[in-house]
Amino acid sequence: MNTAQTAVNQLDKPAIARELENRFADVTLIYQPTIDALPTFWVGRDRFRDVLKYLKTESVQPYPMLYDLCGMDERVRTHREGLPNSDFTVIYHLLSIVRNEDIRIKVALTENDNTVPTVSDIFPNANWYEREAWDMFGITFDGHPNLRRILTPPWWEGHPLRKDHPARATEMEPFTLTEEKQEQYQEALRFKPEEWGMSRKKGDTEYMFLNIGPNHPSSHGAFRIVLQLDGEVVVDAVPEIGFHHRGAEKMGERQSWHSFIPYTDRIDYAAGVMNNLPYVMAVEKLAGIEVPDRVKVIRIMLVELFRVISHMVFWGTFSADVGHMSSIFYMFNDRERIFRIFEAITGGRMHPSWFRIGGVAQDLPNGWDKMVRDFVEWMPGRVDHFDKISMQNTVLQKRTVGIGIYTQEEALDWGVTGPGLRATGIDYDFRRDRAYGGYDQFDFDIPVGSNGDCYDRAAVRVEEVRQSVRIVKQCLDNMPEGPYKADHPLTTPPPKERTMRDIETLIHHFVNVSWGPVIPAGEASVTVEATKGNNSYYLTSDGSTTSYRTRIRTPTFAHLQMLPLISRGLMVQDVVAILCATDIVMADVDR
Amino acid sequence: MEIILALLKVFGVLIGAVLAAAVLTWYERRMLGLWQDRLGPNRVWFFGIGIVVADMLKMFFKDDWIPPFADKPIFVMAPAIMLGSIWMAFAVVPFAPGIHVIDLNVGLLFFMGMSSMAVYGVLLGGLSSNSKFALIGGLRSAAQMVSYEVFMGLSLMGVVMITGSFSLVKIVEAQGDLWFVVTQFLGFIVFMIAGIAESHRLPFDLPEAEQELVQGFHTEYSGMSFGMYMVGEYMGVVLVSVFITTIFFGGWLGPDFLAWTGIAWLSTVTDFFWFAVKAAFFISFFVLLRAAMPRPRYDQLMSLGWKIMLPLTLLNLVVTGYVLLMQT
């Protein structure tokens, strides 16, 4: 066990531990100290449902949201000191807003008996998460309403995230697409209403099943939603994802800690370095790296600029999808201004992959401040202008106000985070309430909506653009001097100043560059307030040059799951409005 | 001689309408570019106008694919119905004194009839495609166009009451003192909005709303049959603009600024000039509208039609009738 983990061990157990131990005296609760200090407990398969139910409903300060549910193949993990035996682990991550705290419940399963009761009756959003865990690990969830593959196609063989599943195409047979295979794959895409418990007709009316997607102008990528229509009124809907699945989590187990960074850029491809941030922060937590102030401010500046970029894309497509075709061109013009700043600073545009473990790739170039200053002075006026032409347009308001409403309870039930959660009136933002990476030093407001409809979801984002520009301005005015990389042996690439002078540094440099750093064993997850909601990287290191398990929790996955709930009874056009107000990026859903 | 002149007029109007529609495809893209902070097509020939020719060539040589699941005869016929009926409507338009194919004494009714025929083109195209998106597009257009047709016709009745004729030449001549846009302002507004709906342009482009229905009723069309819909639609824009000009803005009427030359036929040129300028203004307005407006929802469009536009039209009729009666 490494030093960081022992350090946590010596701390007292968190308050929730005592509460659980009092309530469940008859249940064996094994407390696992983790590097991120997130209360983690192992509970037996027979009683964990009671614990989850207690945490959600009975506790005085409940954890109403199932923030994440994922599996883990522990069969070849070596550093498991003090943990109960487990071949497959199911991990439930709950979030409490009242406590401003999370909790992780782990359930151990064996290879031959990897069945666990479903929690989809307690947390409705567990439905998709459990399907994902089944798809990726082959863990069976007893009592699940519709346990079928979600990210891989139905004809897929094996469970990709199991350690014995090949990660590279070269480890498999060469792929050939025969006639029969093509037939089979196409047939698998045919929508069968019976599989989803839908009837084809009611009385004399025969429903129409309309495939929106996988390729459709407003599906924003490869996404399919099948609408059960009575006339133009939506009776029910089945969203179907996975067309954009690239196995990012599997790649995380294959790439070195350092070389995985570019993959993160492409998770939410509209938000660039925003994805780097939780990943590198999680690795830094595992490695015990403290980054210098200048790094923090550079990161926050770039991340907030990307928030503006992403929100501009959202705003443009949102207006375009309700039929206002001009705004998208205005938005993309101003987005281009930010890209010019990124070109100057990073050389890249949409996916700069600029953050490094322990710092950023390079220092800011000369003259960056002028570019950023020009931008922060230009942008607020533009936002007001766009606000007038788009958000204050009565037709747009008629299309979006009161459409796709969900209540605060529903939002928490379905794991909605970010602007979608704040649109319901819940004032909760990780940047302020869990100030990470130096956000506590900044002055900004959290916009909150009230109705939880499509319009509010957009309006919250519009205000966030203004606030982000404010934060960027503070970064500009208060950029600290200092190094752009932490002085730590695990910083990657390591500092090079002394490599040519002493052999120890040279060896470190050589090893860290050729193999990549060896990150100490442990578990850590870091959540950031990304552009679309909360994005987490839950990394498990087994003390090697690659991650043992990389869990990427993305916001849009949760948001898409509740589409049927908020679309029922509306019209086809409203579904389009709901889709665009959700701000979907399919790469973010499918990973 | 007379036959040649008549043929000249017929072909002039036929070709002129198509040319106007073709140039409009370029004009619209350039104007949208201007209003949307971008360039638009600017490479081929002067100001990029050669894009029109390039587009036409492309359209002609593209494979005209007929889906195997479509109802073939109707599928092929539908775009021709739409294009043909809009084309026919140009026959009654007086471009300048004496420059018209025919001066029917029921000119307005002929126009209404032809624009109703165009609905069949859209509707049949949507139904015969046998595709769900096209079907919804076809249904929407049927409902939308049929209901907007109602008060499109009624909105013109005020003008007919004042003029006492359905002849478009008479209507233009009746505007010598005052354009009908002043006396029939409500009628103008209603006709304008109905005209946008009839030519299904944004914001009323629900039959082909691309964000929802891909391309609506012509989703399955390709090659030249798609081209016919396209040209038909742009001709529809020209047609509505031309009719607004004729009925409410005095058609060819305008100051004869070439009178000092003393050449008689030049006055026809100035008349046509004024006509074209007015029509171009409304065409540009249509384009600007496309750049500026989001699309309402289908049921909102319908309730706007039946709950607001129709009562307005009826009110206009009653007031016009009352005033006319008082005057006599």
Side-chain angles (χ1 to χ4, degrees):
Chain A
M1 201 174 281
N2 66 68
T3 46
Q5 203 154 351
T6 7
V8 177
N9 245 347
Q10 284 153 2
L11 292 174
D12 281 338
K13 287 183 183 178
I16 183 69
R18 277 190 299 278
E19 187 182 331
L20 281 180
E21 275 158 12
N22 289 341
R23 172 68 178 69
F24 294 99
D26 53 330
V27 180
T28 345
L29 284 167
I30 300 170
Y31 172 66
Q32 176 193 353
T34 55
I35 293 173
D36 54 11
L38 201 153
T40 305
F41 300 92
W42 292 75
V43 186
R45 179 169 56 176
D46 44 339
R47 294 300 303 275
F48 82 97
R49 272 177 55 93
D50 300 335
V51 175
L52 289 181
K53 211 177 265 173
Y54 168 77
L55 287 172
K56 185 186 177 184
T57 47
E58 293 160 33
S59 172
V60 192
Q61 291 180 303
Y63 294 80
M65 185 192 290
L66 177 69
Y67 178 71
D68 193 11
L69 189 167
C70 63
M72 182 161 162
D73 180 356
E74 305 221 37
R75 287 175 297 175
V76 292
R77 187 175 172 191
T78 46
H79 291 274
R80 302 192 73 254
E81 294 85 354
L83 304 184
N85 285 333
S86 173
D87 292 331
F88 290 100
T89 310
V90 186
I91 301 154
Y92 302 84
H93 184 154
L94 310 189
L95 188 146
S96 168
I97 289 174
V98 207
R99 290 175 195 255
N100 197 15
E101 200 179 80
D102 292 6
I103 186 170
R104 216 183 262 139
I105 302 290
K106 292 187 173 187
V107 178
L109 303 172
T110 59
E111 193 171 352
N112 300 322
D113 182 20
N114 55 3
T115 309
V116 66
T118 178
V119 294
S120 54
D121 50 336
I122 307 174
F123 299 98
N125 64 333
N127 189 323
W128 275 19
Y129 286 110
E130 288 180 350
R131 280 174 66 194
E132 188 191 355
W134 149 251
D135 192 2
M136 292 293 136
F137 294 95
I139 298 168
T140 317
F141 292 87
D142 247 355
H144 187 281
N146 202 350
L147 195 65
R148 53 178 71 243
R149 288 188 182 272
I150 184 164
L151 293 179
T152 58
W155 39 266
W156 191 268
E157 283 163 23
H159 299 282
L161 281 183
R162 287 190 172 199
K163 286 290 174 185
D164 44 17
H165 193 281
R168 286 184 164 84
T170 47
E171 295 164 17
M172 304 190 214
E173 291 285 299
F175 179 79
T176 43
L177 184 64
T178 58
E179 280 289 310
E180 303 89 75
K181 258 192 202 167
Q182 191 176 345
E183 288 281 305
Q184 183 200 348
Y185 295 170
Q186 283 180 352
E187 191 53 38
L189 271 177
R190 189 188 298 278
F191 180 74
K192 299 175 193 74
E194 293 77 20
E195 285 179 357
W196 303 93
M198 294 172 162
S199 56
R200 284 180 194 265
K201 53 167 76 177
K202 183 184 165 199
D204 288 340
T205 5
E206 199 173 324
Y207 293 122
M208 179 200 260
F209 290 93
L210 185 69
N211 260 307
I212 292 193
N215 279 311
H216 185 276
S218 55
S219 66
H220 296 246
F223 164 61
R224 175 161 91 164
I225 180 163
V226 184
L227 302 178
Q228 185 184 24
L229 294 179
D230 181 5
E232 270 208 54
V233 178
V234 178
V235 179
D236 205 349
V238 177
E240 209 179 322
I241 63 169
F243 298 99
H244 211 310
H245 181 59
R246 294 144 297 161
E249 293 182 5
K250 188 78 175 174
M251 286 188 221
E253 299 171 15
R254 187 185 82 189
Q255 298 294 325
S256 76
W257 295 99
H258 175 63
S259 64
F260 186 61
I261 295 173
Y263 288 93
T264 62
D265 275 39
R266 285 145 183 88
I267 298 297
D268 174 2
Y269 55 66
V273 295
M274 180 68 86
N275 302 282
N276 297 164
L277 187 63
Y279 176 70
V280 294
M281 287 205 314
V283 179
E284 281 157 9
K285 216 170 230 183
L286 285 170
I289 301 175
E290 257 307 310
V291 296
D293 284 347
R294 187 175 174 85
V295 173
K296 289 183 181 166
V297 180
I298 292 177
R299 281 180 178 176
I300 288 179
M301 183 173 82
L302 297 185
V303 151
E304 290 301 326
L305 283 174
F306 251 111
R307 192 185 306 279
V308 178
I309 287 178
S310 171
H311 282 0
M312 290 325 257
V313 176
F314 160 78
W315 198 357
T317 50
F318 171 74
S319 310
D321 280 358
V322 293
H324 187 244
M325 70 178 295
S326 291
S327 31
I328 191 158
F329 295 106
Y330 301 140
M331 309 287 176
F332 271 59
N333 272 347
D334 281 321
R335 178 172 172 260
E336 196 58 34
R337 279 171 193 275
I338 313 180
F339 275 146
R340 262 178 249 147
I341 299 176
F342 270 94
E343 279 171 19
I345 295 179
T346 70
R349 285 164 58 87
M350 273 181 85
H351 306 133
S353 311
W354 195 242
F355 294 175
R356 296 291 182 268
I357 300 165
V360 290
Q362 283 174 25
D363 208 351
L364 295 170
N366 289 336
W368 68 273
D369 47 337
K370 166 124 189 15
M371 296 189 85
V372 177
R373 190 170 307 280
D374 285 349
F375 171 73
V376 294
E377 279 161 14
W378 162 265
M379 200 57 196
R382 294 295 282 176
V383 177
D384 293 343
H385 178 61
F386 297 151
D387 202 17
K388 202 178 277 172
I389 61 169
S390 150
M391 298 305 285
Q392 288 172 31
N393 184 305
T394 35
V395 180
L396 183 135
Q397 288 176 351
K398 277 217 164 117
R399 282 291 305 278
T400 52
V401 172
I403 300 297
I405 298 182
Y406 47 74
T407 61
Q408 299 190 351
E409 290 74 39
E410 281 169 337
L412 294 172
D413 261 355
W414 288 88
V416 176
T417 51
L421 182 68
R422 290 190 285 277
T424 63
I426 296 180
D427 186 11
Y428 194 67
D429 188 314
F430 264 54
R431 289 177 293 172
R432 181 196 61 201
D433 297 306
R434 305 252 183 115
Y436 56 86
Y439 269 109
D440 47 340
Q441 302 298 316
F442 289 89
D443 180 26
F444 57 97
D445 299 327
I446 314 286
V448 177
S450 51
N451 299 327
D453 56 9
C454 288
Y455 185 81
D456 275 10
R457 268 169 259 164
V460 165
R461 285 183 170 90
V462 170
E463 187 53 34
E464 278 188 9
V465 172
R466 293 200 178 95
Q467 297 302 326
S468 289
V469 173
R470 230 175 113 190
I471 296 175
V472 171
K473 187 159 189 312
Q474 294 169 42
C475 291
L476 175 71
D477 295 338
N478 304 299
M479 182 62 74
E481 293 298 321
Y484 64 91
K485 240 186 225 182
D487 188 16
H488 189 282
L490 289 173
T491 297
T492 322
K496 213 178 172 182
E497 291 79 41
R498 297 195 301 275
T499 47
M500 292 305 169
R501 285 189 226 138
D502 64 83
I503 187 70
E504 181 63 25
T505 327
L506 181 65
I507 291 172
H508 261 292
H509 189 270
F510 179 75
V511 169
N512 274 10
V513 169
S514 52
W515 283 6
V518 173
I519 299 295
E523 290 173 28
S525 84
V526 167
T527 302
V528 299
E529 185 71 39
T531 56
K532 289 154 188 72
N534 288 355
N535 185 4
S536 301
Y537 277 74
Y538 171 34
L539 303 176
T540 306
S541 170
D542 205 22
S544 82
T545 54
T546 59
S547 150
Y548 184 82
R549 167 94 171 100
T550 305
R551 167 65 186 170
I552 309 169
R553 191 273 182 194
T554 53
T556 332
F557 185 86
H559 298 166
L560 271 194
Q561 196 181 171
M562 71 183 306
L563 280 183
L565 177 81
I566 53 179
S567 321
R568 280 179 202 131
L570 300 177
M571 299 182 85
V572 179
Q573 278 184 300
D574 297 326
V575 174
V576 172
I578 290 172
L579 274 177
C580 59
T582 312
D583 193 6
I584 52 175
V585 162
M586 285 319 289
D588 190 48
V589 181
D590 295 341
R591 292 151 297 170
Chain B
M1 188 61 204
E2 216 155 83
I3 294 177
I4 294 176
L5 203 65
L7 279 178
L8 254 178
K9 278 182 194 166
V10 169
F11 281 103
V13 170
L14 275 180
I15 293 165
V18 175
L19 273 185
V23 172
L24 179 54
T25 59
W26 165 81
Y27 178 74
E28 169 165 54
R29 284 146 83 182
R30 288 300 306 224
M31 290 320 267
L32 283 180
L34 183 75
W35 282 316
Q36 294 174 343
D37 291 354
R38 60 193 175 91
L39 289 172
N42 67 341
R43 293 301 166 96
V44 197
W45 302 355
F46 299 104
F47 301 107
I49 195 160
I51 196 81
V52 175
V53 180
D55 276 350
M56 277 201 296
L57 282 178
K58 183 190 77 176
M59 220 69 106
F60 274 121
F61 289 107
K62 270 205 156 177
D63 182 19
D64 202 340
W65 184 71
I66 299 171
F69 44 81
D71 188 340
K72 198 173 163 189
I74 299 178
F75 186 83
V76 175
M77 220 163 58
I81 295 177
M82 157 140 174
L83 184 66
S85 47
I86 290 181
W87 225 337
M88 294 280 274
F90 277 96
V92 291
V93 180
F95 297 94
I99 308 292
H100 48 72
V101 175
I102 189 166
D103 178 21
L104 288 178
N105 59 358
V106 288
L108 259 188
L109 290 182
F110 181 77
F111 159 71
M112 296 301 303
M114 282 303 133
S115 74
S116 306
M117 279 284 282
V119 182
Y120 283 103
V122 173
L123 186 59
L124 292 177
L127 291 181
S128 67
S129 296
N130 203 4
S131 140
K132 289 173 186 170
F133 286 110
L135 176 69
I136 298 183
L139 285 178
R140 279 187 186 180
S141 68
Q144 171 180 332
M145 290 168 91
V146 167
S147 41
Y148 274 67
E149 200 103 294
V150 172
F151 46 88
M152 186 181 197
L154 283 177
S155 69
L156 297 180
M157 288 312 118
V159 171
V160 175
M161 281 156 79
I162 300 174
T163 318
S165 167
F166 282 104
S167 157
L168 285 159
V169 176
K170 291 240 170 65
I171 289 176
V172 174
E173 282 163 356
Q175 298 179 70
D177 303 326
L178 194 59
W179 290 352
F180 282 145
V181 65
V182 182
T183 46
Q184 285 294 308
F185 189 71
L186 267 182
F188 162 66
I189 295 289
V190 172
F191 181 77
M192 177 103 166
I193 292 173
I196 302 167
E198 279 289 300
S199 53
H200 29 88
R201 298 267 308 174
L202 233 152
F204 297 152
D205 64 338
L206 286 111
E208 48 192 295
E210 63 182 31
Q211 281 85 7
E212 299 124 37
L213 300 182
V214 191
Q215 274 305 315
F217 62 90
H218 57 66
T219 305
E220 303 293 338
Y221 281 87
S222 55
M224 205 47 221
S225 42
F226 164 74
M228 280 158 91
Y229 270 129
M230 207 53 177
V231 172
E233 221 150 86
Y234 279 103
M235 268 170 41
V237 174
V238 177
L239 185 69
V240 172
S241 311
V242 160
F243 267 86
I244 293 175
T245 307
T246 311
I247 300 168
F248 295 104
F249 284 81
W252 66 72
L253 300 174
D256 187 1
F257 55 85
L258 288 178
W260 54 272
T261 55
I263 307 169
W265 59 270
L266 270 184
S267 77
T268 312
V269 173
T270 51
D271 285 342
F272 183 72
F273 170 80
W274 285 119
F275 180 86
V277 164
K278 291 173 195 169
F281 174 80
F282 287 105
I283 292 175
S284 306
F285 179 75
F286 275 117
V287 177
L288 179 59
L289 210 59
R290 181 172 177 194
M293 290 280 284
R295 181 188 306 118
R297 209 172 52 215
Y298 173 62
D299 55 324
Q300 291 167 347
L301 180 82
M302 297 307 276
S303 60
L304 171 76
W306 291 106
K307 290 185 190 152
I308 298 174
M309 307 303 276
L310 186 63
L312 271 185
T313 325
L314 294 176
L315 180 75
N316 182 45
L317 269 186
V318 170
V319 171
T320 310
Y322 179 74
V323 171
L324 280 180
L325 275 179
M326 292 306 285
Q327 278 173 352
T328 53

